[in-house]
Amino acid sequence: MAPIYSSSPAVSTAMLISVVVSFLMAASAGNFNQDFDITWGDGRAKILDNGELLTLSLDKTSGSGFQSKNEYLFGKIDMQLKLVPGNSAGTVTAYYLSSQGPTHDEIDFEFLGNLSGDPYILHTNVFGQGKGNREQQFYLWFDPTADFHTYSILWNPQRIIFSVDGTPIREFKNSESIGVPYPKNQPMRIYSSLWNADDWATRGGLIKTDWTQAPFTASYRNFNADACIWSSGASSCSSNTPTSTSTSTDWYSQELDSTSQERMKWVQKNYMIYNYCTDTKRFPQGLPPECTATTTS
């Protein structure tokens, strides 16, 4: 295959509330030493440049990973990544939000490596109360190994929006009214890992990892979180909906305007390669309810 690189802000009802909420919201412009813990990899994960750069490496012995020190319950999370270059077949770079336990919630970006010159696959998924199976996959319109690009998750009580360099690629709306679980009660940490998945990652496992190319390295920088931190059983945003005209809290009620919707449609028309909402063979008894209700994009 040839390369295919081809707010509605709420008005504050009281200035005091606005000031307090703005103070409490975590606007964390990232220092990896302060914001993250390296959790596995035996030295293969490194924080460099005084906390401004983090690298994960994978070799035949092990991959590596890190997680956020904080848990979040709603927020806008940005991270710049530069993916494994060259022959990355068999490798997966995962960057996601997740809670713990059998009924966990999860919001996923996964980058599936490929042979040199073939495009990465960006895999997205949403879990609610332990149930996933909501995959959408995309090619990217650029080479994600040549430079850093920003991958964002906006998560509020109404919707989850996945974006790449500010362009929305997917929206998953809250469809609890028709019985679809939505992540809204479980605080989640940010996780990332680089690992070997050559049993499935590239062409269904047909292409294996070429260990002569190891170590494989992915790089991270410019983490930013405008988010509600969860600590000791309470949110830094309290039980009240944040109400502020400042940009730091717009995400709490943000939705896609008409321009953003058109940009997302462009991505989905030209670069989406899999959508669970159109996979009738996978769901012979009928598509998931959020698909037929057109509440997910």
Side-chain angles (χ1 to χ4, degrees):
M1 182 181 296
I4 311 185
Y5 304 131
S6 350
S7 174
S8 60
V11 176
S12 177
T13 58
M15 183 61 69
L16 178 60
I17 294 176
S18 175
V19 171
V20 170
V21 170
S22 297
F23 176 76
L24 290 174
M25 300 289 283
S28 172
N31 182 290
F32 286 105
N33 284 315
Q34 295 175 3
D35 296 322
F36 291 93
D37 292 316
I38 292 172
T39 48
W40 63 286
D42 194 24
R44 291 172 179 82
K46 294 181 171 63
I47 297 176
L48 306 167
D49 296 347
N50 296 314
E52 294 185 1
L53 178 71
L54 188 150
T55 61
L56 294 181
S57 292
L58 164 69
D59 58 32
K60 197 167 187 178
T61 301
S62 177
S64 50
F66 63 90
Q67 69 181 43
S68 62
K69 295 179 186 291
N70 289 321
E71 292 181 292
Y72 304 96
L73 188 61
F74 305 127
K76 183 178 185 295
I77 310 296
D78 304 312
M79 184 82 80
Q80 290 193 331
L81 280 75
K82 183 163 68 173
L83 300 179
V84 174
N87 181 1
S88 58
T91 71
V92 172
T93 306
Y95 155 55
Y96 59 102
L97 289 160
S98 184
S99 60
Q100 298 298 310
T103 59
H104 76 290
D105 294 336
E106 190 171 321
I107 305 169
D108 290 344
F109 275 117
E110 290 185 312
F111 303 89
L112 313 184
N114 214 331
L115 296 170
S116 297
D118 285 349
Y120 262 82
I121 292 175
L122 172 52
H123 174 101
T124 66
N125 203 354
V126 176
F127 286 74
Q129 297 178 22
K131 181 182 183 301
N133 300 323
R134 299 187 177 98
E135 301 91 347
Q136 291 183 355
Q137 295 182 336
F138 305 83
Y139 290 138
L140 293 165
W141 50 97
F142 52 83
D143 178 357
T145 72
D147 202 350
F148 286 89
H149 292 269
T150 303
Y151 302 91
S152 305
I153 295 170
L154 185 149
W155 168 39
N156 66 31
Q158 296 82 36
R159 57 187 44 81
I160 295 162
I161 300 171
F162 298 79
S163 298
V164 178
D165 287 339
T167 295
I169 64 170
R170 177 180 185 178
E171 179 182 29
F172 183 85
K173 294 182 180 178
N174 184 334
S175 301
E176 289 179 307
S177 61
I178 56 173
V180 179
Y182 183 82
K184 70 170 191 178
N185 296 317
Q186 300 183 53
M188 297 196 272
R189 293 187 194 276
I190 303 164
Y191 295 88
S192 191
S193 58
L194 174 58
W195 49 291
N196 177 47
D198 66 3
D199 56 334
W200 65 270
T202 307
R203 300 185 188 177
L206 293 177
I207 308 297
K208 301 301 183 182
T209 303
D210 180 2
W211 293 112
T212 67
Q213 304 297 311
F216 304 97
T217 301
S219 301
Y220 301 73
R221 72 179 188 190
N222 288 347
F223 164 70
N224 188 76
D226 288 337
C228 301
I229 293 176
W230 186 266
S231 180
S232 302
S235 169
S236 63
C237 299
S238 76
S239 59
N240 299 317
T241 300
T243 52
S244 173
T245 56
S246 71
T247 56
S248 63
T249 57
D250 284 352
W251 59 263
Y252 198 88
S253 57
Q254 186 172 332
E255 56 190 59
L256 294 176
D257 61 20
S258 57
T259 300
S260 295
Q261 290 176 8
E262 288 303 312
R263 292 167 71 193
M264 184 172 69
K265 288 178 183 177
W266 173 81
V267 171
Q268 294 183 350
K269 177 182 177 181
N270 292 285
Y271 297 100
M272 179 184 280
I273 59 171
Y274 178 78
N275 182 3
Y276 77 109
C277 275
T278 60
D279 193 345
T280 53
K281 290 184 179 180
R282 181 180 179 187
F283 301 104
Q285 304 304 313
L287 293 171
E290 69 269 20
C291 300
T292 54
T294 67
T295 54
T296 186
S297 299

